[in-house]
């Protein structure tokens, strides 16, 4: 990819792009505490925050996940913060899977289940996931028959990235949409974005990340295109030569 194209892509990045977002918040306790205070509505004392933190499945061949931002607070509660720009990765069962993966690493052998800390899975979705116009949606478990909260310490939260209210969360989402660090209201966020867009070292890191992503995307697209071409060939053989699926696959040498 041409250097000017890479720079143009970097210029267009916002905090809704996980490559930029995870780098801005990586080891950035100040910015993470600010974001969590606004979303959760209370002060959070963060002791650790890692961008792009991978959690591996215990099952051979199981699906691993990479957390955009993985924070731990002073109480030991685990917090996963994900940004999502499109609907492809925003299925509600993704939140369930992330929650289970985060929970699965909390207890050591012999520990009591009651020692399990709270977990927070927060999706900052670029659009209004549930289309109700609310800034935040809290997903909790309830006892159906009594409508009482089933307080097992599991919390799933969706933030409406399209929310434009005249309050702190509206300002936060406005900052997430900005491409220019000078237009970002919260100083902790502006500083991080400015580093990765306007300093030589940070800019170089972002350009490398964009180039890497572009190459991986090109490979995946090439694989998908090749599969589609083979499917068309199989279909044509079946229709024109009246072959079965197995016969068509064998004729093309496809296993």
């Amino acid at each position: 990819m041409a250097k000017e194209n890479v720079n143009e892509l970097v210029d267009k990045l916002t905090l809704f792009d996980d490559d930029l977002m995870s780098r801005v918040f990586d080891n950035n306790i100040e910015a993470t505490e600010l974001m969590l205070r606004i979303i959760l509505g209370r002060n959070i004392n963060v002791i650790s925050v890692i961008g792009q933190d991978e959690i591996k499945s215990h099952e051979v061949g199981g699906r691993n996940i990479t957390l955009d931002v993985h924070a731990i607070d002073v109480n030991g509660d685990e917090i996963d913060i994900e940004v999502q720009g499109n609907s492809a990765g925003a299925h509600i069962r993704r939140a369930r899977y992330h929650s289970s993966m985060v929970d699965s690493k909390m207890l050591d052998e012999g520990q009591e289940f009651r020692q399990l800390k709270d977990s927070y899975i927060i999706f900052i979705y670029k659009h209004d996931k549930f289309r109700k116009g609310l800034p935040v949606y809290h997903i909790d478990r309830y006892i159906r028959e009594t409508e009482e909260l089933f307080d097992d310490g599991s919390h799933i939260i969706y933030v409406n990235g399209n929310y434009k209210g005249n309050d702190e969360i509206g300002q936060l989402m406005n900052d997430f949409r900005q491409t220019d660090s000078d237009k970002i209201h919260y100083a902790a966020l502006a500083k991080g974005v400015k580093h990765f867009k306007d300093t030589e070292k940070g800019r170089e890191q972002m350009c490398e990340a964009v180039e890497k992503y572009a190459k991986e995307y090109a490979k995946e697209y090439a694989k998908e295109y090749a599969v589609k071409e083979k499917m068309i060939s199989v279909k044509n053989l079946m229709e024109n030569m009246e072959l079965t699926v197995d016969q068509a696959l064998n004729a093309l040498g496809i296993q």
Side-chain angles (χ1 to χ4, degrees):
M1 181 179 288
K3 186 176 180 180
E4 56 270 22
N5 292 338
V6 172
N7 277 300
E8 184 178 345
L9 288 173
V10 171
D11 286 338
K12 293 179 179 178
L13 291 177
T14 71
L15 288 171
F16 279 113
D17 297 290
D18 55 7
D19 274 329
L20 177 61
M21 187 264 198
S22 59
R23 283 170 171 78
V24 168
F25 286 93
D26 183 38
N27 292 313
N28 191 341
I29 287 178
E30 181 187 7
T32 305
E33 288 183 338
L34 166 73
M35 176 170 60
L36 290 174
R37 178 185 64 77
I38 294 172
I39 292 173
L40 299 179
R42 57 184 173 86
N43 289 328
I44 301 288
N45 294 319
V46 173
I47 61 172
S48 170
V49 56
I50 302 171
Q52 294 293 302
D53 190 19
E54 184 179 34
I55 298 180
K56 294 188 176 182
S57 172
H58 300 299
E59 295 293 325
V60 176
R63 178 162 184 171
N64 303 329
I65 61 172
T66 301
L67 310 185
D68 288 344
V69 175
H70 182 196
I72 301 175
D73 76 1
V74 70
N75 298 316
D77 294 346
E78 302 258 355
I79 305 166
D80 167 26
I81 308 161
E82 302 289 317
V83 287
Q84 188 64 45
N86 56 61
S87 59
H91 196 283
I92 56 176
R93 297 202 179 205
R94 179 184 175 190
R96 170 184 163 187
Y97 191 72
H98 273 240
S99 182
S100 68
M101 289 285 281
V102 169
D103 285 349
S104 70
K105 62 182 287 295
M106 282 197 207
L107 293 181
D108 294 326
E109 185 177 356
Q111 278 190 286
E112 300 271 347
F113 287 117
R114 66 170 177 265
Q115 294 176 273
L116 194 68
K117 301 295 185 179
D118 282 16
S119 67
Y120 294 82
I121 309 300
I122 301 171
F123 277 87
I124 303 175
Y125 188 35
K126 194 172 184 178
H127 308 289
D128 186 353
K129 174 67 177 174
F130 301 104
R131 301 179 183 180
K132 303 296 182 182
L134 299 175
V136 180
Y137 301 92
H138 294 83
I139 316 300
D140 294 307
R141 289 188 175 98
Y142 284 84
I143 302 171
R144 183 184 300 173
E145 288 75 11
T146 65
E147 296 185 351
E148 294 175 292
L149 182 66
F150 184 69
D151 190 12
D152 63 348
S154 175
H155 310 275
I156 295 173
I157 298 169
Y158 285 86
V159 181
N160 176 6
N162 197 42
Y163 178 70
K164 299 179 175 68
N166 188 26
D167 51 15
E168 283 193 316
I169 199 159
Q171 184 63 68
L172 180 66
M173 291 302 97
N174 184 63
D175 284 355
F176 264 67
R177 291 189 291 268
Q178 296 299 328
T179 58
D180 185 349
S181 62
D182 291 334
K183 295 181 180 179
I184 293 178
H185 172 76
Y186 290 109
L189 302 184
K191 182 179 178 181
V193 173
K194 190 173 188 65
H195 170 73
F196 286 104
K197 284 199 168 195
D198 300 332
T199 69
E200 184 177 351
K201 182 179 179 180
R203 182 86 178 186
E204 184 178 343
Q205 290 176 334
M206 284 312 309
C207 286
E208 288 177 359
V210 167
E211 281 190 293
K212 181 181 178 182
Y213 174 80
K215 289 176 182 178
E216 290 175 353
Y217 179 82
K219 287 180 182 178
E220 289 301 314
Y221 180 80
K223 289 179 184 177
E224 184 180 342
Y225 180 78
V227 169
K228 286 182 178 178
E229 286 294 297
K230 288 180 180 179
M231 288 172 64
I232 292 170
S233 298
V234 169
K235 183 180 178 183
N236 287 339
L237 271 180
M238 290 173 66
E239 291 177 352
N240 298 331
M241 305 295 293
E242 297 184 352
L243 301 179
T244 65
V245 174
D246 287 339
Q247 289 171 333
L249 291 172
N250 289 334
L252 292 170
I254 301 173
Q255 294 184 346

